[in-house]
C-alpha cells in the first residue's frame, strides 16, 4: 500500500511486509521505509544537533537521505516532521504512557523512531498498521534500535488503539513546545494569550501574497481573500506558488501580511534614497521599489543576495544591490530613510517553521538581541537629519523588540520614537500598541473578520533621526 495516498478510512489491503520478519536494512526493498529512516535522521538533526529544518529539506542542498527520496516521499517526510515537531509534547506523553519505565536518556534513535511513527498514527492519513509495521522494520534495520523492536511494536499498537480516548485530553494541555519557549511567551503575553499563540502554532499558516496592483483580481484568481492590509490570503494552496498565474510575469510575491507592514511605515518614499540594510530575500526591498524609492539593498550573505537578485528580476523591480556587513557599511551620502529588518530568533514564524523552538535557546535570543541593537545603532548613523528609520523583525520575544527599543532610545538621544498613528497604514491599526510601535502575533485574529487566521509574529518601531 502506498501510504502517501492512503486515507485513514480507505480500504486496507493485507500488509505482506511482515515487519517482524525483517532483520536487515532493507530500505531499498520495503516501500516507505527509506522515508521513515530519513524522517528519523532529520528529527535527530533538529532535536539533538539543533539543525534548522529548512536546510535539511532543501531539494538541492539538503540532507542526502532526504535528497535520495522521490518527491512524494519528500513530501511525506516534510509532513511527518512538521507534525512531529508541532505536537512534540503531546506525542512524547502518549509514548510515555505506554512505557513501563522511561526510555534511557541516551536512547535518542529509539525515541526518534517512535516519534516519527506516532506522528503518523495520531495526525496523518496513514493506516495505523502500515505506520506500526514500518516502524518495527525501521527499528530492526538499525543496530541501535534492533533489540527494541518488540517495544516499538507494543507502544505504537497501544497508541493506535487508544488514540480516540487519549488524544483529546493530551492536546488540551497545550504544551507541545519546549518549556523555555512556553515560559517566555507566558512572561511576555500572559498565560491566556500565550496559550492562544501556542494553539496557533499547531496550525499550518496560510499563504499571503503582496500584489503589485488589483488585489481583488488576484484574490479571485487564487481563490483567496483580500485582507485589510491589502495582502491576498489563500488558506490552502492546491499547487506550488511557481505554478500560479502571474508568477512568471512578476505580478506578486509571497509575503506574510505582517511582514508587509514595516516597509510601509516609512511613509511616502517616492524618489527618496532608501537603504534596506538586511534585505534578502527581498520582500521589503520589492515593496520599497514599487513605492517609487531608489533602494540600496544590502545583505551580508552572498547566497541570499543572489536570491534577492533573482526575485527582483522576476518582479522587474530594480534596486542597487550591495554585499556587506551593515555594522561596517559606509554609504557615500546619508539616506532619506533606512529599514533594518534584522536577523532574529524567528519565533514569530513557528507556524511555518515548527523547528524554531527546538533549534533556538534563550542564549540565542540574547545574542541576537545584542546584534540587533548594534545594527540599529549603525543604521541610525546612515540616516540624514530629519530622516526616518524603521526597525523590525519576526520575533515574538520582547528582548528582540520592545525591550531592545526602550534601551536603544535611552542610549541614543539623537533619535526619537516616531509613533505610528491610527489610520496611517491600511490594516495596521489593531496592531499598534500604546507607545506607537507595532506588535503582531499568530493569535491576532482581530482583522475585523473572524474567519481570517492569524499573522506571523512581528515587531516594528519607527524613529525620527533628529536634526
Ligand atoms: C530577516 S532576514 C531579512 C528579510 C528581508 N528583509 C525580507 O523582507 O525579505 C535578515 C537578513 O539579514 C542578513 N544579515 C544578517 N546579519 C547582517 C549584517 N551584519 N549585515 C547585513 N545583513 C545581515 C541575513 O543574511 C538575512 O538575509
Amino acid at each position: 500500500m502506498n501510504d502517501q495516498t492512503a486515507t485513514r478510512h480507505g480500504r486496507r489491503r493485507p500488509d505482506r511486509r511482515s515487519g517482524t520478519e525483517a532483520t536487515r536494512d532493507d530500505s531499498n526493498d520495503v516501500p516507505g521505509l527509506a522515508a521513515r529512516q530519513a524522517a528519523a535522521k532529520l528529527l535527530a538533526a533538529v532535536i539533538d544537533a539543533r539543525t534548522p529544518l529548512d536546510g535539511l529539506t532543501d531539494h538541492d542542498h539538503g540532507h542526502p537521505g532526504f535528497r535520495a527520496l522521490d518527491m512524494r516521499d519528500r513530501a511525506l517526510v516534510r509532513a511527518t516532521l512538521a507534525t512531529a515537531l508541532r505536537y512534540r509534547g503531546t506525542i512524547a506523553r502518549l509514548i510515555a504512557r505506554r512505557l513501563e519505565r522511561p526510555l534511557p536518556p541516551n536512547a535518542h534513535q529509539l525515541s526518534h523512531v517512535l516519534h516519527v511513527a506516532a506522528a503518523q498514527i495520531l495526525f496523518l492519513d496513514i493506516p495505523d498498521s502500515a505506520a506500526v509495521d514500518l516502524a518495527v522494520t525501521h527499528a530492526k534495520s538499525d543496530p541501535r534500535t534492533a533489540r527494541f523492536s518488540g517495544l516499538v511494536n507494543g507502544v505504537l499498537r497501544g497508541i493506535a488503539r487508544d488514540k480516540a480516548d487519549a488524544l483529546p485530553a493530551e492536546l488540551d494541555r497545550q504544551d507541545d513546545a519546549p518549556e523555555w519557549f512556553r515560559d517566555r511567551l507566558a512572561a511576555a503575553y500572559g498565560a491566556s494569550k500565550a496559550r492562544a499563540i501556542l494553539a496557533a502554532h499547531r496550525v499550518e499558516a496560510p499563504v499571503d501574497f503582496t500584489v503589485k496592483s488589483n488585489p481583488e483580481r488576484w484574490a479571485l484568481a487564487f481563490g483567496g481573500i483580500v485582507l485589510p492590509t491589502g495582502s491576498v490570503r489563500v488558506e490552502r494552496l492546491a499547487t506550488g506558488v511557481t505554478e500560479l498565474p502571474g508568477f512568471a510575469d512578476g505580478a506578486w510575491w509571497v509575503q506574510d501580511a505582517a511582514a508587509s507592514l514595516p516597509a510601509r511605515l516609512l511613509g511616502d518614499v517616492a524618489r527618496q534614497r532608501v537603504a534596506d540594510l538586511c534585505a534578502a530575500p527581498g520582500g521589503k526591498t520589492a515593496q520599497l521599489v514599487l513605492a517609487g524609492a531608489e533602494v540600496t539593498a544590502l545583505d551580508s550573505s552572498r547566497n541570499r543576495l543572489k536570491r534577492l537578485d533573482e526575485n527582483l528580476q522576476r518582479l522587474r523591480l530594480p534596486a542597487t544591490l550591495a554585499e556587506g556587513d551593515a555594522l561596517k557599511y559606509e554609504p557615500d551620502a546619508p539616506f532619506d530613510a533606512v529599514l533594518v529588518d534584522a536577523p532574529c530568533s524567528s519565533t514569530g514564524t513557528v507556524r511555518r517553521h515548527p523547528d524554531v523552538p527546538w533549534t533556538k535557546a534563550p542564549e540565542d535570543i540574547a545574542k541576537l538581541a545584542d546584534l540587533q541593537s548594534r545594527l540599529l545603532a549603525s543604521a541610525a548613523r546612515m540616516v540624514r537629519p530629519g530622516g526616518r528609520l524603521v526597525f523590525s523583525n519576526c520575533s515574538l520575544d520582547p528582548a528582540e523588540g520592545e525591550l531592545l527599543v526602550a534601551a536603544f532610545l535611552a542610549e541614543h538621544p539623537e533619535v526619537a520614537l516616531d509613533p505610528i498613528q491610527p489610520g496611517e497604514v491600511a490594516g495596521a491599526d489593531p496592531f499598534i500598541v500604546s507607545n506607537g510601535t507595532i506588535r503582531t502575533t499568530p493569535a491576532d485574529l482581530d482583522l475585523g473578520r473572524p474567519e481570517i487566521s492569524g499573522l506571523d509574529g512581528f515587531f516594528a518601531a519607527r524613529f525620527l533621526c533628529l536634526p
Side-chain angles (χ1 to χ4, degrees), residues 88-105:
R88 189 163 169 80
T90 299
I91 291 171
R93 286 191 303 278
L94 288 171
I95 291 172
R97 279 161 62 140
R98 291 271 140 208
L99 293 167
E100 279 171 24
R101 64 185 84 87
L103 295 179

Side-chain angles (χ1 to χ4, degrees), residues 277-284 299-301 304 324-327 341-343 375:
L277 291 186
C278 296
K284 298 176 190 70
D299 203 281
S300 57
S301 158
R304 289 176 63 93
D325 183 346
L327 295 172
D341 184 41
L375 284 167

Side-chain angles (χ1 to χ4, degrees), residues 148-182:
F148 296 110
S149 60
L151 177 145
V152 167
N153 188 44
V155 166
L156 294 176
R157 283 198 194 287
I159 289 177
R161 204 169 40 242
D162 288 356
K163 64 184 168 187
D165 292 333
L167 186 56
E170 290 299 344
L171 282 175
D172 207 37
R173 288 177 53 168
Q174 207 65 268
D175 54 1
D176 287 312
E179 197 174 352
W180 75 266
F181 186 61
R182 288 184 274 126

